[in-house]
Every structure is written in C-alpha cells, then in structure tokens.
Amino acid sequence: MDLLEYQGKRYFARFGIPVSPGGVAVTVEEAVARADEAGYPVVIKAQVRVGGRGKAGGIKLAADAAEVRTHATSILGMDIRGHFVRRLWVEHASDIAREYYASFTLDRSAKLHLAMVSARGGVDIEQVAAEDPDAIARLHVDPVEGLTAASARRLVDEARLDPEARDSAVEVLLDLYRCYVQGDADLVEVNPLILTPDARVHALDAKVTLDDSAAFRHPEWEEFRELEGEDPREVLARQKGLQYVGLDGEVGIIANGAGLAMSTCDVVNQVGGSPANFLDIGGGANAEVMANALEVINTDEKVQAIFINIFGGITRGEEVANGIVQALDSVDIRPPIVIRLDGTNAEQGREILKDRESDRFISRSTMLEAARTAVELAGGTVK
Ligand code: GDP
Ligand code: MN
C-alpha cells in the first residue's frame, strides 16, 4: 500500500523524523484555513500517488491567503498523469539551502535492505542513477545487524553531504531505518531531504510503501485505507481475508491459488468473455472462506455469472461444496454459478452439490467447458 505524502509524513513524525507543520484540505477554504494555521509562506501540494508533482504544477508556494486561493483552485481537480487531485497538503514553507536524497528499500536479490543517500536530491533519482551513478552512496544493511550509527555516518560521508548537515543526517537515517523496519515498510524515500540555511535537516517529501503482508499487526493502517478511495469490494474481501482484484468484465471468478485464478481469467478471455474480478480464496480454503467469497462477488453488480474453479490440493472438494451450499442457504446469490471441481475429494464435493444443480447452478468437468458455460450465462458470445 502506497501512502500519500501527508500520510507518509505523519508516519515519519511518529519515528521522530523532522517534517513541517501543516494540514490537509479538500476545498479552497480549507486550504486557506490550514495555511493560516501553518503560518505564511506556505506550500500547497497535490496529494496523489505519483511522483513529479512539482514539474506537473501540483506544488506551489503561496505568500498569503489570496495566493493560497489561486493555487488551491488550480491544483484541486488537476489531473497529474492520470491521478485526479482531490486533496491538498498545506504546510509551512521551508527555506532550502540544499536538497538531498535518502531511502531504504528491500533488495530482494541480495536478501538485504538497501540504503541510498545522495547529495543530488530534489530531482528524479533514476535520472541521477543514469547520469551520475557515483553521486548515490549505497549500503546494504543486514536486517539482523540493523543500521549502526557508524555505518550511517560512513554513508553520509560517502554521499558527500555538506559538513554541517552530516550529524543531523545520520540521526535522520537512523530514525528512517526504524520507520522502515518497525513501521513494516517496503520503501521509505525522502526526496528532497533538505538542509535549511540555519543548518537543520528536514524531510520535505515522503514516499512510504507499507508491506501489505504485515497489515495484520497494524490495525491502525485502516485509517490510510479509508482515504484511498478503494474499491469497496476489495475492502470487504480483505476484511474477510480474501485476495480480491476488481476488473471490468462480467464473469466473476473464484479460484484457489493465485496461479489458478490467473489462468482462469485467461481461459475466460480465450473463450470470448471478460473477467469481472480475480478472487483467490487461497490454499486450504474451507467452507466459510467459500461462503465469504460468494458473498463478496455477489455485491458486484457487473457480475453476470460466477465461475468457481477449484483444483483441490490442500483444499478439499467437500469443504468447498459445503461452503457453496452454506452460501446458497444464507445469501441470495443473484448471478448463476458454474463450477468446476477437481482434485482432492472432488467426487464427494460433486455429490454434495448434486441436489442443488439447476440451470442457475451448473457443474462442468473441465475448465474450458466451465468457462464457455460461464461466458454464455453472462450473456457473452462464446468463441
Ligand atoms: P514531487 O515533485 O512530487 O517529488 O514533490 P516534492 O514534495 O518533492 O516537491 C518538489 C519540489 O518542490 C522540491 O524539490 C522543492 O524544490 C519544492 N518545494 C517543496 N516544498 C517546498 C518548500 O517548503 N519550500 C521551497 N522553497 N520549495 C519547496
Ligand atoms: Mn519529491
């Protein structure tokens, strides 16, 4: 999950990383109120999950309320590379002496964390990496050992930050590393990390990607999701422990395992249909999980037919069948269902479902046949 800048800054602040005071606004008047609170001059910043907002005109300095009005009016509703601006962050503007770069991310191939620091911040780091790779100091951090003050110091020295910035930069790096590890992030990036004329080091931007697989130990992350404008079906699915991806077609797909779910999407496409979603109920899915999956899909009005594709390994056919029966008994499932059940205890599963079969609940023995039937039932033309 990617955080918006202001959410990332709040995350940073929890770990002691210095950020500017400011507030969120969704209207021009709110922007003026937040600016009055933060103290002029202020900077008005579009909150979208995409970089390069500055270049796109999504970041403006304002010296007074009139300027805040002008800029807030132009930035709200702006389209920044396909991202619609609904929200602004208004913070007290900083004086900038120098712009640096600092980040921690996971280097999967090295199986280590990777720290990067550069004295050439404020510009796209990929560009710096291409033009002047030596301008980026890199350090692999062993997660067991953690980041020591001595290695943070070496990194800052190697990046040739200005001498008066180095002590504070070391502190920021240590806090940023804690934020990255304890905060369960996959990426924390500060670009620019600034040096002010009065020699303070300060995060002017924040990019934080949280590690979704750690969400179970962070109930407080819900606050970030609420604002994400997420697909309500995805929210419902996650609450029920399911992996759901909303798509645009008309065939709802439930499969066990991401691989099977993806190939089911492909087969539906291949026979001339189009998937409405991708729902992986995982390995070892039981009756309750299946009932939940049907409930989630049932909330999607685009779905004209549901295709359940189960290849039982750890997942057992009779459990799946019981879940379907349970769902049919408890929820009024609107679209017709096609099921292909194979693998572990598939026979028993089919036996359980036999009584329920009708023209709205059809069992097919192969994935291809099942896909064709589902596309047909969804009103599509089968190829
Ligand atoms: P990005 O373009 O999406 O990465 O947005 P940033 O938050 O990094 O801002 C882009 C640029 O705007 C920064 O590199 C700064 O040069 C400038 N900027 C942002 N905040 C301030 C501020 O408080 N004062 C000044 N003078 N410039 C700022
Ligand atoms: Mn930036």
Side-chain angles (χ1 to χ4, degrees), residues 282-318:
N286 59 19
E288 190 192 345
V289 171
M290 183 45 114
N292 285 338
L294 276 168
E295 194 188 322
V296 168
I297 285 218
N298 200 38
T299 61
D300 185 345
E301 305 202 335
K302 288 201 307 295
V303 172
Q304 302 304 319
I306 298 173
F307 178 5
I308 303 175
N309 191 9
I310 303 296
F311 191 92
I314 312 170
T315 307
R316 286 156 37 194
E318 85 280 14

Side-chain angles (χ1 to χ4, degrees), residues 5 43 45 50-54 59 61 91-94 96 99 122 191-192 204-205:
E5 175 199 357
V43 55
K45 309 184 77 174
V50 63
R53 294 165 301 160
I59 294 177
L61 288 161
E91 72 176 27
H92 183 66
S94 303
I96 302 176
E99 294 188 299
N191 188 21
L204 216 59
D205 193 5

Side-chain angles (χ1 to χ4, degrees), residues 255-275:
N256 62 319
L260 185 61
M262 276 190 265
S263 35
T264 309
C265 288
D266 289 344
V267 172
V268 166
N269 276 317
Q270 188 194 319
V271 299
S274 159

Side-chain angles (χ1 to χ4, degrees), residues 230-263:
E230 265 188 322
D231 184 332
R233 294 167 295 169
E234 285 178 27
V235 177
L236 179 64
R238 194 177 39 251
Q239 283 165 352
K240 295 189 178 287
L242 303 165
Q243 289 294 325
Y244 182 97
V245 178
L247 303 168
D248 292 325
E250 63 289 331
V251 178
I253 290 167
I254 299 175
N256 62 319
L260 185 61
M262 276 190 265
S263 35

Side-chain angles (χ1 to χ4, degrees), residues 317-336:
E318 85 280 14
E319 280 278 350
V320 168
N322 284 330
I324 295 171
V325 169
Q326 191 179 310
L328 292 175
D329 288 342
S330 59
V331 196
D332 181 22
I333 309 283
R334 181 185 45 81

Side-chain angles (χ1 to χ4, degrees), residues 120-150:
R120 283 193 58 187
V123 290
D124 196 2
I125 196 67
E126 280 81 17
Q127 193 187 325
V128 178
E131 287 172 11
D132 188 6
D134 293 341
I136 305 172
R138 295 178 172 80
L139 175 76
H140 276 115
V141 181
D142 186 319
V144 177
E145 288 163 17
L147 181 72
T148 62

